[in-house]
Amino acid sequence: MVDTDRLTGAARELGGKIQGAVGDLTGSHRDSAEGRFREAQGAAENAYGQAKDGVRHAADRAQDYAGDFAHDARGYAEDARDYAEDAYERGSQVLRRGTRQVGHQVAEYPVASLVIAGLVGFGLGLLVSANRD
């Protein structure tokens, strides 16, 4: 969309050129100078409108990039969530299998399990008491 300052600036610039040319043809220094002044005003207004268009265009592009970035970030977050859910489910399955296996071993070898548990407890007690000295 073209800024209205560009349109009015271009019209004022053209009008100033015409007035300046008519002043030159008729020998009117007043019309010639006034025309050149209007031409300069129109050029400045046109440049201002072009700058506004440039800023608007840059803002639109930045908004588009931000939207693309947000869309990508949502996709990455969803992928991470899916990965975490899968890891949690696999971990839960491994823990249940491990618990069943330990339960079977304890049921099959109760005395050996007690000895192993006692040795692990004794070892932990040595580690804890070694840190206090």
Side-chain angles (χ1 to χ4, degrees), residues 58-101:
D60 290 344
R61 294 281 306 249
Q63 187 176 10
D64 291 344
Y65 287 139
D68 292 344
F69 178 75
H71 181 265
D72 291 346
R74 276 193 295 275
Y76 294 142
E78 289 172 4
D79 291 345
R81 185 197 67 223
D82 292 343
Y83 179 77
E85 286 175 354
D86 290 344
Y88 179 79
E89 183 61 35
R90 282 192 305 256
S92 296
Q93 290 172 356
V94 168
L95 181 63
R96 283 192 295 270
R97 257 185 289 157
T99 302
R100 278 195 304 269
Q101 289 294 328

Side-chain angles (χ1 to χ4, degrees), residues 13-132:
E13 187 177 2
L14 179 62
K17 282 183 182 182
I18 292 171
Q19 184 179 4
V22 168
D24 289 343
L25 287 176
T26 60
S28 170
H29 295 294
R30 180 175 179 256
D31 282 339
S32 180
E34 197 174 293
R36 300 292 181 253
F37 180 71
R38 284 181 59 197
E39 182 180 350
Q41 280 181 324
E45 191 174 0
N46 189 359
Y48 175 68
Q50 287 177 0
K52 283 174 45 178
D53 280 345
V55 169
R56 187 178 303 115
H57 178 69
D60 290 344
R61 294 281 306 249
Q63 187 176 10
D64 291 344
Y65 287 139
D68 292 344
F69 178 75
H71 181 265
D72 291 346
R74 276 193 295 275
Y76 294 142
E78 289 172 4
D79 291 345
R81 185 197 67 223
D82 292 343
Y83 179 77
E85 286 175 354
D86 290 344
Y88 179 79
E89 183 61 35
R90 282 192 305 256
S92 296
Q93 290 172 356
V94 168
L95 181 63
R96 283 192 295 270
R97 257 185 289 157
T99 302
R100 278 195 304 269
Q101 289 294 328
V102 169
H104 289 307
Q105 292 297 323
V106 168
E108 194 170 330
Y109 305 105
V111 175
S113 298
L114 282 174
V115 170
I116 291 172
L119 290 173
V120 168
F122 181 74
L124 287 174
L126 286 175
L127 286 173
V128 170
S129 67
N131 286 337
R132 288 191 178 181

